[in-house]
Amino acid sequence: MPRNHKDWLKEPSVEFISSECYSSQEIYEQEIEKIFAKVWIPIIHKSEIKNPGDYRTSQIAFQNIIIVNHGDRIACYHNPGFKGVAGTTDPKLKINRELHSEVKHGGMVWTTLNPEPSMSVEEWTNGSFDCIAEAIDTEELEVFHYHKAIIPTNYKLWHDTNSEFYHDYMHYFNRITGFNDEYFARACTGFDNGHVNVGSFEVQYDKFEGAKDRGALSFPGLAPNQWHMVDLFPGYNFNLRGSAYRTDSVTPLGPNSVMIEFRGYGLLSDTPEEREQRINDHNTIWGPFGRNLHEDLLGVTGQGVSMAPGTERRNILHGRHENNTIHDEVGMRHFYAEWGKYLNVDPSHPLKQEETQ
Ligand SMILES: [Fe+2]
C-alpha cells in the first residue's frame, strides 16, 4: 500500500532521527555550547602562517580566536576584544587566554575552547586518520586553494552528505569514474567519538573528459588513483583523491545557516609543473567551478529548504543496512548516537524532556 502524508509521520519501524535536529533554534544553541565550545577543532593549516609573526583570525562558537606563529611554536588564543556575531559567552573565559593547541594530522592546527580537554587530539581522532596517515604525514603539505561557502542549511547536512553515498548518483563525475564493484564494496568504519572512515577503491579518473590518470602524483604511500575520506565529528572532512587533498570545516551560523571553508593541498616539495597538475586535478572536481562540490552544496541547500525552522517535524530514516558498505547508513547512525550524548537527547525525539530516572 502506498503511504500517505499521515503514514509517513507515524513512528517508523527502522532507525530514524527527527528533522527537529536540523530545524530547532534551541537545539542549535545547545550544539554551539555543548559541542563546538568543547571539542577539538581543526582551525587552519600551518602552511597558512608560514613565517614567524604570521597570524590568522577565526571563530569557534562565536568566540574570536587568533592563531599565531611564534617561530618556535604555533599558539592559539581566545580574544574577546571585539564582539562576536551572537551566541553564548562563557564567563570563565579570560581575556587573551591561551588555548590548548596541537599541530597534528598533516599539519592541521587543532585548538579547543575547552580549558580542560579530557583527551589529546590523537585520542580524540582515535585511529580515524590511520588510513591516510602515511599519505599526509610523510612530507610537509601546503595549502594551494581556499574558498568558502555560506549556505542556508544545517551544518549537519554537510556531514551527512559526506557520509551517505547514495546521493553520489547526483554526481556526473563520480558516475563516470567510479560505480564499479569495488566502489559499491567501499566500507564505512566507525571510530569512537563519532568519527567515520569511508574506504578507498581505484577510481578511473581518466574516464572523465579532460581529466587524466592521477597515479604519478599520488600522495606518499598511496596506491594509485585512490579516494579516501575521513568524516570527523562534528563536521570536518578530510578527503584524499590520489593527487589532491581537501579539507572542509563547518562553522554553524544558525539552525539553517552554515559557513563551510574548503582548503586544497599539495606537497610542499612540488615542482611548479607538479603543483599545476595538482591544482588542475583539485579544481576539476572540487573547485568552485568543478564538477562535484557545487552539486553537493546545491543538494544540502535543497534539504535545508525542507528542514528550515518552522517546517513540519518529519522522520529522517537511517535504517539502511548493507553490511557497512558505501550506501549503508551506519555513518549517520554512528554520528547521531554520539551527537545525542553531547546534548543528552534522543535524536529521534530531541525536544522531549529527558525523563528523570
Ligand atoms: Fe557528494
Side-chain angles (χ1 to χ4, degrees), residues 158 161-162 164-165 167-171 174 227 229 246 292-293 295-297:
W158 194 251
T161 200
N162 285 309
E164 57 79 4
F165 271 68
H167 85 274
D168 245 358
Y169 288 99
M170 175 177 76
H171 295 307
N174 294 4
W227 174 17
M229 195 187 254
R246 159 185 147 203
N292 171 286
L293 189 133
E295 293 170 343
D296 285 318
L297 290 169

